Amino acid sequence: MPVFATIFFAGAGLSAAQVVVEGIARATAGLEFPDGTTQATAAGAYDNVVTVAKSGGDFTTVQAALDSILDAADGNRYLVRVSPGTYSEQVTMKPFVDIEGSGRGTTTIT
């Protein structure tokens, strides 16, 4: 059964954004779970960073970036950094992968 979590971008909440978490996803200060718990992680703790941007990024959609990650593990964490813009898509999270936006009102996933 999927677990829904509200995404917080750069520490500011966007109540309309939700993601489906497959398995046990590691949360950052950017993610708040339905039970109200959060877990902070230093940005430098990631082994890999993938960039999503309307142009000039590794991918143009958040889901394409997530789909490209095949080796995420406790010792091989990923950060998906999402550039400013509105991304209209359903996002299915993966364990050991976190999403970071560019700020409230700047990055939106609907």
Side-chain angles (χ1 to χ4, degrees):
M1 177 173 203
V3 176
F4 289 90
T6 301
I7 297 177
F8 278 32
F9 291 100
L14 296 174
S15 60
Q18 290 190 317
V19 295
V20 178
V21 180
E22 292 178 346
I24 301 171
R26 184 163 185 260
T28 69
L31 212 67
E32 181 181 290
F33 291 97
D35 65 1
T37 60
T38 60
Q39 182 178 352
T41 302
Y46 295 96
D47 301 300
N48 307 281
V49 177
V50 179
T51 304
V52 176
K54 297 294 182 177
S55 66
D58 300 314
F59 297 93
T60 58
T61 68
V62 176
Q63 191 59 54
L66 290 165
D67 290 343
S68 76
I69 300 169
L70 303 176
D71 61 345
D74 188 32
N76 191 38
R77 297 183 180 280
Y78 279 78
L79 174 64
V80 176
R81 189 168 278 151
V82 186
S83 297
T86 298
Y87 300 84
S88 298
E89 56 184 297
Q90 181 171 336
V91 176
T92 303
M93 291 294 294
K94 291 184 173 186
F96 309 109
V97 179
D98 296 323
I99 295 177
E100 174 184 83
S102 298
R104 184 178 189 163
T106 303
T107 302
T108 306
I109 299 173
T110 59

